[in-house]
Amino acid sequence: MNRGPFIFLGVFLFLSLTWTLVINKAIQQTGNLSPAYDESQGGVLPRGIVGAAAQGKIVYQELGCIACHTQQVRVATGSDIDRGWGARQSVARDYIDDQPALIGTIRLGPDLTNVGQRRPDDQWHLLHFYNPQITSKGTNMPAFPFLFEVREIVGEASDRGLDLPEEFAVAEGYEVVPTRKAEALVAYMKSLKTDYDLEEAPKSNEAMSEELTIALENAN
Amino acid sequence: MSLIGNICSSICHQNLDGDEKNREAQRAIDASIRFPALSIIKASMVWMLVATVFGLIASIKLHTPGFLGDCSFLTYGKVEPIFWNVLVYGWLFNAGLACAVFILARLGGKPLDNSLFLTIVSAAWNTAVVVGTIGILVGDQLPYRLLEFPAYASLILFVSFLGIGLWCLLAFRARAYRSTYASQWWILAALFSFAWIYSGAQIMLVGSPAQGAFQALANAWYVENVFGLLIAPLGLATIYYLIPKTLGVTVVGYRYTNIAFWTWILCASIAGAAKLVNGPIPVWVASTGVIAAFCLIFPTTVFGIQFLSSLFKRFSAIWDSASARFLFAGALLFLTTMVFKIFGALRMSQDVVQFSVFDAGVSQLAYFGFAGLVFSGAGYFILQRLLNKEIPSSTLVDLQFWTQLMGVIVVAIGLISGGIQQGDLMNGSTADMLAVVNTMRSSYFLTSMGLSLFLIGAIASNVTFFWMLLSSRSEKEASSSLIEEAPELEYTAS
């Protein structure tokens, strides 16, 4: 161990070995997936994020929402399915359009894989971003007032203005209007839904046993 | 055996003939690295404050979400990544680098050249950290943990790291003593692997990104390696160097170091995959990670036996020296961290703690506790020698030691026990998320308290450092060398 090159080669060898056999092997094995095609479920799956939702994804990344929210559903452990966070396991194919991937590692707040299905209402999201205490009292999610504009009502009030409850209302004659960033973020939230099935994706244990029962009955 | 002989003769101080000459040689070595080493320590001190302040802000935001909430650049999602990046690349990397530079110079036994080059590249590194932090503040952050710095910052970071690595390599090559000591292996390993993991992760995530789910894998691999192959090796190098230096004992069971070294490198390099159990990647990958993480129990046991036996050999001496005290606490926290890391990676633990704050707690224990305390202790050891000044106030050092130790323990209790509680509710029941948030409130309060304590220590440490740096030498300090130490301890045959 008295020679630098020996240590260098050893470290290099070990790192390359584990990297090649695990990380690179995994990427080669399942890291080049193409979208699935299923006519009955509306064509190409996953559907991809486009338009305003794609802009919203940039806002999500910029504000670091990933510091508290994951976007993955587990079936084997945890209570993700029971909580209604999703209907099936998230699999690699769900993320092939996700660049950069926002899978996340920590849940200080709920998982957002299917938030678009759970919360289809624009107004709910806008209120939630303006001040989460309006929609989820007691949460520790920060408010994002800087995504909104408080402005004087000149003439007719904007149709996009927030419908604030009384204790959060702004001064008389003023209104709270979402900026483009807030609108985009809402579009992104609403686009987050795994409302399609993939062959390889395990569903909940109950769903799988039901399918199995049906398959067995058909076989008989 | 010659090592033991050397140590014995050094403890007994019977014959100090020629010591003065050796001390002269050492002072020449110290002088050759004084400027870059001091500038690196200076940077690490400032980053320590910045990291703790950002950590505290992030922690306060978790129980009082309105705190500093009105401006877009201080939202939790930005403060939190800044905290981790500044902690690792700002404070701990600089502190570890200062130790590495000092150890390479002293163990090499020869004054080193190119100190200006090292100053420039380390300044470039710190510039990159500043640029990256600003990048996150203005919203350019990438969504990868510990790689949040935007591409323009990470490019400067990597290029300046290559410079730092090159300098250290040249310093190692220029050594006068051909035999090497464990500290040198760890330093070399840290430098080689960081170049590898950083470029690898950047290529897999930014250069030619892997497909969706595999970015999570690449990121988990990188995050765990930042600890296992960068910060921990630098910390271990420091412990191996300081145990004989501060206590005058050899490292017990030193000859088992190389096997522990290689098993650590092998297992740590893939342990990160364990974080992805039940995720959208092939099951065997996560399982390999779990196995690797568990295999870390082998090197950890060796380190545990070595460090604890060595430290307990002269337990009374630990409290006489500031450095030894920090070292002792740091070594204990290292072992505690590893217990949590090893057993926390098992599937049965992950079923409970996955996605909770448990991981953050273990990481803070590792970074603030193990690395932070060890590097602080080494910092005092190095500063006294580089400046030939005494520590101006032992009260401040005591204050730093106790507040930082207590702070880390309080943070760890808050986040680790809180994480288990959180995971239990979140993964084991269908309790409302708001109820989960509410039960976590006390944990977040504890974390804020712990970080406030740590901040007091950080301020004390900064005061000590700048006081020492700026004060003029007393008569005694100016007239003689304060350091009477055994030159035999400078190098050891392995």
Side-chain angles (χ1 to χ4, degrees):
Chain A
M1 301 272 300
N2 287 337
R3 301 183 66 89
F6 175 70
I7 297 174
F8 173 77
L9 281 178
V11 170
F12 186 76
L13 190 77
F14 277 13
L15 284 187
S16 313
L17 192 78
T18 53
W19 183 81
T20 317
L21 290 185
V22 183
I23 311 285
N24 199 38
K25 175 85 177 136
I27 292 178
Q28 277 183 351
Q29 204 181 39
T30 32
N32 291 305
L33 297 171
S34 37
Y37 186 80
D38 186 344
E39 198 82 49
S40 64
Q41 297 192 64
V44 177
L45 307 171
R47 302 209 170 85
I49 301 162
V50 287
Q55 291 178 359
K57 187 176 166 176
I58 298 171
V59 180
Y60 185 94
Q61 182 184 335
E62 180 185 318
L63 292 174
C65 307
I66 199 167
C68 301
H69 295 285
T70 55
Q71 293 185 19
Q72 56 174 312
V73 176
R74 301 161 303 163
V75 163
T77 57
S79 45
D80 300 3
I81 308 275
D82 298 338
R83 284 175 182 279
W85 284 349
R88 62 168 176 84
Q89 167 82 25
S90 302
V91 290
R93 206 185 298 274
D94 290 323
Y95 300 95
I96 56 177
D97 291 328
D98 208 10
Q99 170 51 39
L102 299 169
I103 294 176
T105 56
I106 188 166
R107 283 179 182 165
L108 301 186
D111 184 85
L112 298 179
T113 316
N114 282 294
V115 71
Q117 254 173 348
R118 288 206 298 279
R119 305 278 183 195
D121 179 21
D122 278 26
Q123 191 65 210
W124 187 91
H125 283 291
L126 288 170
L127 289 173
H128 193 60
F129 293 142
Y130 178 67
N131 190 342
Q133 303 299 337
I134 301 174
T135 48
S136 327
K137 190 146 183 53
T139 176
N140 61 351
M141 171 167 157
F144 298 96
F146 41 84
L147 293 181
F148 296 84
E149 199 185 334
V150 180
R151 65 182 186 199
E152 201 174 356
I153 303 174
V154 181
E156 206 173 323
S158 165
D159 59 349
R160 296 183 305 143
L162 293 196
D163 191 8
L164 292 167
E166 227 162 83
E167 68 258 48
F168 297 94
V170 285
E172 191 73 30
Y174 284 79
E175 63 180 347
V176 179
V177 186
T179 60
R180 278 188 57 185
K181 278 190 174 183
E183 304 265 21
L185 195 55
V186 172
Y188 178 55
M189 288 296 108
K190 286 172 64 187
S191 79
L192 288 176
K193 46 188 164 193
T194 321
D195 53 359
Y196 52 91
D197 287 333
L198 291 176
E199 259 177 34
E200 71 267 32
K203 297 193 181 103
S204 65
N205 295 336
E206 291 79 21
M208 276 196 289
S209 68
E210 267 171 39
E211 267 179 25
L212 191 67
T213 327
I214 294 168
L216 285 174
E217 275 170 15
N218 289 346
N220 291 336
Chain B
M1 285 317 278
S2 65
L3 175 67
I4 296 171
N6 284 344
I7 305 269
C8 291
S9 70
S10 67
I11 296 166
C12 301
H13 283 293
Q14 279 152 352
N15 181 4
L16 284 178
D17 289 349
D19 192 44
E20 193 57 31
K21 206 175 127 219
N22 274 311
R23 182 64 197 141
E24 278 309 307
Q26 280 180 3
R27 294 181 79 161
I29 296 171
D30 291 353
S32 74
I33 55 156
R34 181 172 298 133
F35 188 69
L38 282 178
S39 61
I40 294 169
I41 297 178
K42 213 178 297 170
S44 81
M45 285 290 169
V46 176
W47 284 124
M48 183 206 285
L49 270 185
V50 177
T52 319
V53 167
F54 272 102
L56 186 58
I57 296 176
S59 170
I60 292 175
K61 276 171 177 289
L62 284 181
H63 52 77
T64 315
F67 181 69
L68 299 177
D70 286 342
C71 37
S72 69
F73 54 87
L74 281 180
T75 192
Y76 179 79
K78 291 181 179 180
V79 173
E80 200 254 8
I82 290 177
F83 157 59
W84 285 103
N85 282 282
V86 166
L87 175 68
V88 170
Y89 303 120
W91 173 25
L92 295 176
F93 181 83
N94 276 301
L97 179 65
C99 299
V101 167
F102 183 81
I103 293 171
L104 283 177
R106 280 294 191 93
L107 289 176
K110 215 166 114 183
L112 294 170
D113 303 328
N114 309 322
S115 67
L116 184 66
F117 176 68
L118 179 61
T119 317
I120 293 170
V121 286
S122 61
W125 171 279
N126 286 304
T127 315
V129 181
V130 174
V131 171
T133 307
I134 294 172
I136 296 177
L137 283 174
V138 300
D140 286 346
Q141 66 166 306
L142 302 176
Y144 309 115
R145 282 184 59 222
L146 284 181
L147 290 167
E148 280 96 347
F149 284 171
Y152 47 83
S154 33
L155 192 68
I156 317 175
L157 197 79
F158 187 63
V159 171
S160 50
F161 176 78
L162 290 182
I164 292 171
L166 182 69
W167 185 91
C168 293
L169 214 57
L170 291 177
F172 178 74
R173 272 185 68 87
R175 68 195 189 280
Y177 311 125
R178 298 319 293 172
S179 58
T180 58
Y181 181 63
S183 299
Q184 287 160 308
W185 317 340
W186 282 115
I187 292 169
L188 289 187
L191 297 170
F192 294 151
S193 18
F194 186 70
W196 199 161
I197 58 171
Y198 196 75
S199 54
Q202 288 288 351
I203 290 169
M204 284 192 287
L205 293 172
V206 183
S208 66
Q211 219 174 32
F214 293 91
Q215 295 179 11
L217 176 62
N219 195 198
W221 171 78
Y222 176 77
V223 168
E224 204 52 34
N225 283 353
V226 165
F227 172 74
L229 297 179
L230 176 71
I231 303 297
L234 290 175
L236 291 169
T238 312
I239 295 183
Y240 274 107
Y241 181 74
L242 280 188
I243 285 178
K245 298 305 256 173
T246 52
L247 297 178
V249 296
T250 46
V251 174
V252 175
Y254 177 77
R255 64 205 174 98
Y256 299 108
T257 308
N258 51 13
I259 189 161
F261 173 82
W262 290 115
T263 42
W264 176 275
I265 302 280
L266 183 65
C267 299
S269 66
I270 202 63
K275 294 281 177 282
L276 294 169
V277 292
N278 303 321
I281 55 155
V283 176
W284 64 267
V285 178
S287 301
T288 316
V290 174
I291 295 167
F294 195 75
C295 287
L296 283 174
I297 204 165
F298 177 72
T300 305
T301 313
V302 177
F303 298 143
I305 293 171
Q306 289 184 330
F307 298 161
L308 294 182
S309 324
S310 314
L311 289 163
F312 281 115
K313 241 180 170 176
R314 295 203 62 205
F315 189 67
S316 55
I318 288 174
W319 304 100
D320 297 341
S321 142
S323 304
R325 212 176 339 152
F326 277 97
L327 189 71
F328 178 63
L332 283 185
L333 291 179
F334 170 71
L335 298 174
T336 322
T337 305
M338 287 317 297
V339 168
F340 282 120
K341 274 196 187 284
I342 290 165
F343 291 98
L346 294 179
R347 272 173 188 275
M348 49 185 262
S349 335
Q350 296 239 43
D351 285 352
V352 178
V353 297
Q354 196 172 27
F355 302 137
S356 74
V357 293
F358 178 86
D359 272 350
V362 177
S363 297
Q364 294 203 20
L365 191 63
Y367 287 140
F368 278 117
F370 156 56
L373 290 186
V374 167
F375 293 149
S376 289
Y380 288 124
F381 183 87
I382 295 170
L383 278 176
Q384 286 173 316
R385 279 153 184 81
L386 287 185
L387 296 168
N388 199 41
K389 287 181 191 170
E390 283 175 331
I391 291 175
S393 157
S394 61
T395 322
L396 278 177
V397 178
D398 284 345
L399 181 72
Q400 185 200 354
F401 178 73
W402 288 112
T403 49
Q404 294 202 335
L405 181 61
M406 287 302 138
V408 169
I409 291 173
V410 171
V411 169
I413 291 174
L415 290 180
I416 292 176
S417 75
I420 294 170
Q421 222 181 341
Q422 181 198 6
D424 204 29
L425 273 177
M426 196 168 62
N427 296 323
S429 76
T430 51
D432 191 37
M433 269 316 265
L434 284 173
V436 181
V437 167
N438 270 325
T439 50
M440 289 302 290
R441 206 155 289 241
S442 52
S443 300
Y444 296 144
F445 270 119
L446 268 184
T447 314
S448 296
M449 258 171 58
L451 284 171
S452 314
L453 273 173
F454 199 92
L455 183 62
I456 297 174
I459 294 170
S461 144
N462 264 272
V463 171
T464 314
F465 171 70
F466 284 103
W467 187 351
M468 215 162 151
L469 194 67
L470 300 176
S471 66
S472 53
R473 288 202 177 83
S474 69
E475 228 170 81
K476 183 181 156 213
E477 287 168 340
S479 63
S480 69
S481 165
L482 294 171
I483 312 296
E484 288 176 14
E485 65 187 336
E488 294 89 343
L489 283 176
E490 277 311 316
Y491 61 97
T492 47
S494 58

